[in-house]
Amino acid sequence: REAPIPKMLAPCLLRSAVLTVPLVFVVALLVTEPVGADQEAGTAIPAESRPCVDCHAFEFMQRALQDLKKTAYNLDTRTETLLLQVEKRNLCDCVAANLLN
């Protein structure tokens, strides 16, 4: 026959756990310092020294345009180099074919 104490102990422990867990959360919320809605993470930079969003967007677009210009120039240069190589190869093939005839 089983001892009646462990059967009665389980519901008691369950009730105490159900009451203790929410109590711990409430105490933790009360103890922690509330964070203001206007407080940002890290150091705050005064508004006077921050550039506007439009200025950031303009600077970003300028850099992107410069990068595109560099890329286009590099592609043009590479294309010209490849075309010269093809013309040279065709010319050499033509000269070699004329020498054989």
Side-chain angles (χ1 to χ4, degrees):
R1 187 171 174 218
E2 292 180 28
I5 294 173
K7 279 188 175 181
M8 292 179 7
L9 188 60
C12 184
L13 287 175
L14 183 64
R15 257 188 242 127
S16 64
V18 167
L19 293 175
T20 305
V21 171
L23 180 64
V24 169
F25 281 121
V26 169
V27 169
L29 287 173
L30 291 175
V31 170
T32 57
E33 185 176 326
V35 176
D38 58 343
Q39 184 179 357
E40 295 180 14
T43 58
I45 300 171
E48 302 84 35
S49 62
R50 285 183 294 194
C52 62
V53 175
D54 291 338
C55 299
H56 281 303
F58 181 74
E59 290 171 2
F60 175 79
M61 293 302 288
Q62 271 187 324
R63 284 194 301 271
L65 184 60
Q66 288 172 354
D67 290 343
L68 285 173
K69 285 180 181 178
K70 287 179 187 174
T71 303
Y73 176 77
N74 290 338
L75 287 173
D76 285 344
T77 305
R78 182 71 180 139
T79 303
E80 284 181 26
T81 304
L82 290 173
L83 286 174
L84 287 173
Q85 287 176 353
V86 168
E87 287 177 9
K88 182 180 175 184
R89 188 175 302 138
N90 288 339
L91 182 61
C92 291
D93 291 343
C94 182
V95 169
N98 285 338
L99 288 176
L100 291 175
N101 289 333

